């Protein structure tokens, strides 16, 4: 996600809140999404926390979001995956009232984003990717300032701050300056701060980026505890496939501004041809080695990941592994490493977009989000 989104989500929401009070979606997912024009006061029910109906965003001739529709049920953790430039940031900006919608409609907790932006801001919490808490303030002071921005009554403020700090295991550090906290502790503070006004819907932008594996797991567990104790709906963006697989009830993959797949993690993995993945690294292999791998029984696709590493999708992992080793021995090719696993969300992403997400995170810097109206360059 771009840095300007992180700044806007933090600064704009604070100011506005205080001032205003292979490209086809899986058929099952399409059938489950709202029909065109379904987002209206009469049709909106309590079951949907977020409704996006044929939403479009254009910047001149460039279409950043192209006719996207989906819904998020109350109490659901909904994942949004896609490379930088795919339209994720723009979707979040529209849903959180930061930029206007070109066409289509969106409702957040029953409120029309275009017609009731202040009501939307009151009902959402937004945690940007960048850590935005004030380093010179204490943990409790950061919490109190945010509570005041959202007009949390003084009598409720102390109780709410105390409960949240306990929930994220920061009670003993409430009087510590924020700059003394570790990265994982600061992320927990950001999440607690975003909940201080009791939002119904929580937007989390890359919540574990930059954290070590132990801190990432701690954030996952904390989010689980929050979901158990509060009636929250969460929309999360991430480029960690294991994170999306573990946390999300459903996942949407966005590419080139379009929704290319939407379903549960299990259903998405089942939609990819080949039930097993063989990762093998070879040495001293011939130029036509990839073509030879394609001749193995049950192989559905092959991805060359460089440095002699190949990712082979197959419908029968054990048989393909046996044949692969035999072929390598006969060809005098050395097998440096080999592992067999089930299909992952990485394979899902490659199947629907034709490329790996981790590669796109490095390459995709071509499109820069235009500044919002009134912003100076």
């Amino acid at each position: 996600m771009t840095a300007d989104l992180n700044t806007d989500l933090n600064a704009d929401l604070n100011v506005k809140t205080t001032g205003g009070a292979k490209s086809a979606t899986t058929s099952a997912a399409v059938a489950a999404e709202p029909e065109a024009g379904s987002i209206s006061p009469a049709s909106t029910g309590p079951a949907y926390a977020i409704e996006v109906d044929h939403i479009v965003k254009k910047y001149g001739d460039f279409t950043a979001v192209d006719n996207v529709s989906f819904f998020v049920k109350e109490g659901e953790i909904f994942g949004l995956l896609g490379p930088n430039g795919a339209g994720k940031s723009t979707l979040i900006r529209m849903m959180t009232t930061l930029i206007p919608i070109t066409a289509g409609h969106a409702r957040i907790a029953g409120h029309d984003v275009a017609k009731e932006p202040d009501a939307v801001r009151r009902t959402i919490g937004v945690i940007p990717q960048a850590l935005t808490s004030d380093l010179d303030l204490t943990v409790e002071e950061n919490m109190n300032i945010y509570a005041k921005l959202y007009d949390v009554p003084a009598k409720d403020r102390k109780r709410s701050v105390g409960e949240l700090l306990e929930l994220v295991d920061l009670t003993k550090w409430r009087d510590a300056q924020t700059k003394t906290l570790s990265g994982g502790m600061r992320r927990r503070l950001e999440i607690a701060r975003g909940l201080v006004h009791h939002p119904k819907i929580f937007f989390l932008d890359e919540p574990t980026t930059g954290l070590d594996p132990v801190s990432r797991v701690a954030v996952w567990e904390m989010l689980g505890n929050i979901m158990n104790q509060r009636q929250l709906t969460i929309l999360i963006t991430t480029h960690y496939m294991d994170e999306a697989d573990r946390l999300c009830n459903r996942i949407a993959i966005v590419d080139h501004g379009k929704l290319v797949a939407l379903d549960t993690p299990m259903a998405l993995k089942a939609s990819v041809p080949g039930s097993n993945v063989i990762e093998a690294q070879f040495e001293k292999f011939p130029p036509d080695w990839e073509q030879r791998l394609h001749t193995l029984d049950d192989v559905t696709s092959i991805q060359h990941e460089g440095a002699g590493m190949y990712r082979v999708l197959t419908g029968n992992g054990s048989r393909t592994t046996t044949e692969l080793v035999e072929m390598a021995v006969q060809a005098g090719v050395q097998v440096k490493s080999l592992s067999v696993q089930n299909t992952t969300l990485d394979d899902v992403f490659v199947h629907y977009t034709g490329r790996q997400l981790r590669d796109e995170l490095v390459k995709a810097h071509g499109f820069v989000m235009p500044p919002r109206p009134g912003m100076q360059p």
Side-chain angles (χ1 to χ4, degrees), residues 337-354:
S337 65
L338 188 147
S339 64
V340 182
Q341 57 187 290
N342 293 327
T343 305
T344 68
L345 286 178
D346 284 296
D347 305 307
V348 173
F349 191 86
V350 171
H351 177 69
Y352 284 105
T353 69

Side-chain angles (χ1 to χ4, degrees), residues 183-351:
M185 293 167 71
R186 283 193 64 194
R187 177 59 68 188
R188 300 200 319 254
L189 170 60
E190 304 272 330
I191 292 174
R193 191 184 63 174
L195 293 168
V196 76
H197 59 296
H198 298 283
K200 296 179 180 178
I201 300 167
F202 212 28
F203 291 86
L204 287 166
D205 181 11
E206 304 282 1
T208 63
T209 293
L211 299 184
D212 61 84
V214 174
S215 297
R216 286 181 63 208
V217 172
V219 170
W220 295 349
E221 293 175 349
M222 184 190 63
L223 289 174
N225 292 335
I226 290 172
M227 288 293 293
N228 290 334
Q229 296 188 29
R230 294 180 170 233
Q231 294 182 337
L232 267 181
T233 301
I234 295 179
L235 188 147
I236 183 172
T237 71
T238 181
H239 65 269
Y240 293 120
M241 295 300 188
D242 58 334
E243 184 166 85
D245 202 352
R246 174 167 176 168
L247 293 177
C248 299
N249 303 114
R250 288 189 303 147
I251 293 171
I253 297 176
V254 180
D255 191 38
H256 297 300
K258 295 181 179 292
L259 184 68
V260 297
L262 194 166
D263 216 320
T264 64
M266 184 177 295
L268 285 173
K269 287 182 282 188
S271 71
V272 177
S275 57
N276 297 119
V277 179
I278 301 171
E279 284 193 340
Q281 189 172 17
F282 303 98
E283 291 183 340
K284 300 179 181 179
F285 53 90
D288 66 342
W289 188 240
E290 183 170 343
Q291 287 75 18
R292 296 192 194 185
L293 293 176
H294 274 287
T295 65
L296 297 172
D297 290 337
D298 304 304
V299 169
T300 57
S301 71
I302 294 175
Q303 303 154 28
H304 187 195
E305 299 186 328
M309 178 69 75
Y310 288 86
R311 191 173 177 87
V312 181
L313 270 70
T314 173
N316 190 322
S318 59
R319 180 163 62 186
T320 302
T321 300
T322 301
E323 293 181 358
L324 184 153
V325 173
E326 290 176 350
M327 186 170 71
V329 171
Q330 292 173 3
V333 174
Q334 296 181 9
V335 181
K336 187 176 181 180
S337 65
L338 188 147
S339 64
V340 182
Q341 57 187 290
N342 293 327
T343 305
T344 68
L345 286 178
D346 284 296
D347 305 307
V348 173
F349 191 86
V350 171
H351 177 69

